[in-house]
Amino acid sequence: MYIIFMGPPGAGKGTQAERVAGELKLEHLAPGDLFRQAVKQESDLGNEVQGYMERGELVPDEITIRIILDKLDDIGDEKGVILDGFPRNYIQAVALDEALEKQNKAIDRVVNIQVEQKELVRRLSSRWLCRECQSPYSSSTADNPCLDGCPGCGGELYQRTDDKPETVARRLEVYYKETAPLIDYYRNQCKLVEVEGEGGVEEITARMIRALE
Ligand code: AP5
């Protein structure tokens, strides 16, 4: 089973992919997480992608496609996969379809998470992440964690450099220009399901799982 979670920055793709993958025993594959890990390790890949991420631009397709297709090969047929944040443009979507088709496979479902722009900006400006386990937290909700450390593993919490207001604005611009057109691409393939992404996290997970049934 191959599932794509789509939606603008801050829609809750990462939060929901983690939860749904846990519930349905799927792999969670997110290029953003892989790139951040590479930057943290100061690897060659990290050095290549850092500038694009800090500017809120997409990392070049040849790098992203290669990394994701290699990871899909590594995962193999044992487990289904949730792709969170891939594909993000037409070139990536076609590359993914072609690679799967060669193995007689296909994307099963694409879930598009819908959230108003005002709420996206609010979420991103109050987001904190754990350096160790990558779990996201919000400093503006009632269940606000103690920002001294990750409630899950005790790791240090930090704010992403691309969550600065000017970079968020650029990421949203890139999303509407490059990624949003994929909604119609998958709708035309009858694979798209829309899910309302505002409300409680658990409630949205239940909606996501219903959308996949
Ligand atoms: P990536 O890491 O994928 O960032 P993004 O798509 O901009 O998405 P976010 O991680 O910001 O948001 P999300 O939708 O996952 O929401 P989250 O669950 O975290 O990509 C980063 C960069 O990597 C890109 O800009 C690009 O440079 C590069 N990149 C990645 N993929 C690429 C590709 N395919 N091609 C080329 N380049 C690529 O939630 C956000 C916040 O909201 C959190 O604080 C969370 O706790 C909170 N929250 C979640 N749900 C709720 C809720 N229901 N109510 C209230 N708060 C909530």
Side-chain angles (χ1 to χ4, degrees):
M1 194 181 207
Y2 292 92
I3 298 164
I4 295 171
F5 282 4
M6 278 186 68
K13 300 181 295 296
T15 303
Q16 293 303 329
E18 194 63 39
R19 294 173 63 88
V20 174
E23 288 272 329
L24 303 184
K25 310 275 181 282
L26 302 169
E27 286 284 332
H28 171 196
L29 186 50
D33 290 348
L34 296 175
F35 293 151
R36 271 184 293 280
Q37 188 70 18
V39 170
K40 185 177 158 192
Q41 291 165 345
E42 298 179 5
S43 64
D44 290 347
L45 173 66
N47 293 334
E48 265 184 292
V49 303
Q50 187 168 18
Y52 296 102
M53 296 179 80
E54 286 177 355
R55 290 191 298 276
E57 308 282 344
L58 293 185
V59 168
D61 290 331
E62 59 273 20
I63 299 176
T64 311
I65 291 169
R66 173 173 46 82
I67 300 275
I68 292 298
L69 295 186
D70 283 354
K71 287 279 171 193
L72 284 176
D73 275 348
D74 291 346
I75 294 169
D77 295 335
E78 294 299 307
K79 258 183 152 182
V81 182
I82 297 178
L83 288 159
D84 151 19
F86 183 90
R88 278 195 204 230
N89 60 23
Y90 184 71
I91 291 173
Q92 294 180 11
V94 171
L96 177 62
D97 279 350
E98 287 177 355
L100 291 176
E101 203 178 318
K102 277 187 197 152
Q103 303 173 40
N104 291 321
K105 298 178 188 164
I107 296 297
D108 294 286
R109 195 65 57 93
V110 179
V111 184
N112 184 40
I113 309 176
Q114 296 174 312
V115 174
E116 290 293 325
Q117 184 156 327
K118 204 168 141 200
E119 171 67 4
L120 298 172
V121 173
R122 187 196 69 75
R123 288 183 187 179
L124 295 177
S125 61
S126 61
R127 167 165 59 190
W128 290 78
L129 285 169
C130 174
R131 273 197 206 284
E132 302 308 318
C133 67
Q134 311 299 323
S135 295
Y137 299 101
S138 171
S139 59
S140 69
T141 53
D143 60 348
N144 180 2
C146 163
L147 295 180
D148 288 342
C150 172
C153 74
E156 185 195 356
L157 297 179
Y158 75 103
Q159 289 196 282
R160 275 169 48 173
T161 50
D162 61 349
D163 279 346
K164 286 188 295 219
E166 60 276 21
T167 318
V168 166
R170 180 65 189 139
R171 285 162 63 201
L172 286 166
E173 219 174 76
V174 169
Y175 167 79
Y176 290 114
K177 182 162 177 269
E178 304 256 347
T179 312
L182 293 183
I183 294 172
D184 277 343
Y185 177 80
Y186 289 115
R187 185 179 285 127
N188 291 338
Q189 295 183 14
C190 302
K191 291 181 176 169
L192 189 83
V193 195
E194 304 270 12
V195 166
E196 167 59 52
E198 294 190 42
V201 169
E202 286 180 17
E203 182 190 340
I204 297 165
T205 305
R207 285 180 209 155
M208 304 286 290
I209 290 175
R210 272 200 304 276
L212 294 173
E213 277 166 4

